[in-house]
Amino acid sequence: MARIGILDFVKRQTPQSRFNHFNQSWESLITLIESQWAHRQVSPHHSGVLIVPMPTSALPHFWSSIVPLNEESRLRAEFSPRVAGEAPFIQVEVLGGQKVQAQRADIILYSHDTLAQDGDAPSTREADYYVVSINAYATAETEPISPMTMARNFLGLKGGTRPETPYSAEEFAHAILYWSHHARLGEP
């Protein structure tokens, strides 16, 4: 069994944040990941990235902050980085609304070596894989990563992980269309 750690980056995904979250402890999340380890999948774009699907029984503990847009949606745009040290970019948020219980959830883990290649690994190696994202979905539909994340990865920008297998034009197009009809909730 691989050792699993929690990267500081994912710790911003809390119930009080605008991000998807898991409403139990980080230790509980690691235990859940370990119980699902046999179901892990290697990312189609990078061998150092794992996707661990969460079981249906755990979904009451996962919350999605991504909502579909409509004509009544009030939006706010902000020009800011995801975290300190990254380049700022336009981020669009939905004002009002609440997170919804996830209908599907995946945990994204990066190997220590992959994080080290990007300069994002912890200074001491405490784990083989680190949780970097809680991807909770409001529907059972597949949600593509944002086009901005894809671009950051594709170009190897700070905060991105260059894919070993590049994204296809179809994947970029699908992401652009999806994210032109969905947005993350703003700060509660």
Side-chain angles (χ1 to χ4, degrees):
M1 179 72 198
R3 295 176 301 151
I4 299 168
I6 304 291
L7 198 66
D8 283 344
F9 179 76
V10 76
K11 291 182 179 177
R12 67 190 183 138
Q13 292 185 245
T14 67
Q16 298 76 31
S17 75
R18 63 188 176 123
F19 302 106
N20 300 327
H21 74 274
F22 176 67
N23 68 5
Q24 303 293 301
S25 70
W26 296 113
E27 294 78 17
S28 296
L29 182 62
I30 290 173
T31 299
L32 190 54
I33 293 166
E34 290 171 345
S35 75
Q36 295 301 113
W37 194 248
H39 302 286
R40 71 191 180 279
Q41 303 159 8
V42 175
S43 164
H45 296 289
H46 199 288
S47 61
V49 177
L50 299 179
I51 303 163
V52 181
M54 294 292 96
T56 303
S57 61
L59 292 179
H61 300 293
F62 289 92
W63 294 84
S64 176
S65 63
I66 307 301
V67 297
L69 301 175
N70 60 46
E71 291 79 15
E72 285 86 42
S73 298
R74 292 182 346 161
L75 305 175
R76 173 180 60 208
E78 181 178 283
F79 186 68
S80 64
R82 288 186 316 167
V83 295
E86 290 184 3
F89 64 100
I90 297 171
Q91 299 183 59
V92 177
E93 300 176 338
V94 177
L95 299 176
Q98 296 180 359
K99 294 181 186 182
V100 297
Q101 184 179 331
Q103 299 301 305
R104 191 168 68 81
D106 294 324
I107 306 302
I108 310 302
L109 297 102
Y110 277 43
S111 71
H112 184 275
D113 294 341
T114 299
L115 289 168
Q117 290 170 359
D118 296 336
D120 295 325
S123 57
T124 60
R125 187 180 186 135
E126 299 167 2
D128 302 309
Y129 288 91
Y130 292 88
V131 176
V132 298
S133 184
I134 298 167
N135 291 5
Y137 311 106
T139 68
E141 126 185 43
T142 300
E143 179 182 289
I145 62 175
S146 76
M148 200 56 214
T149 301
M150 293 174 86
R152 185 184 299 109
N153 290 347
F154 188 81
L155 297 172
L157 301 176
K158 176 79 174 139
T161 301
R162 189 177 290 276
E164 295 166 340
T165 303
Y167 304 109
S168 68
E170 185 175 339
E171 286 173 305
F172 268 112
H174 181 64
I176 291 166
L177 287 176
Y178 182 89
W179 288 101
S180 70
H181 293 95
H182 294 81
R184 182 177 318 283
L185 291 171
E187 289 294 337

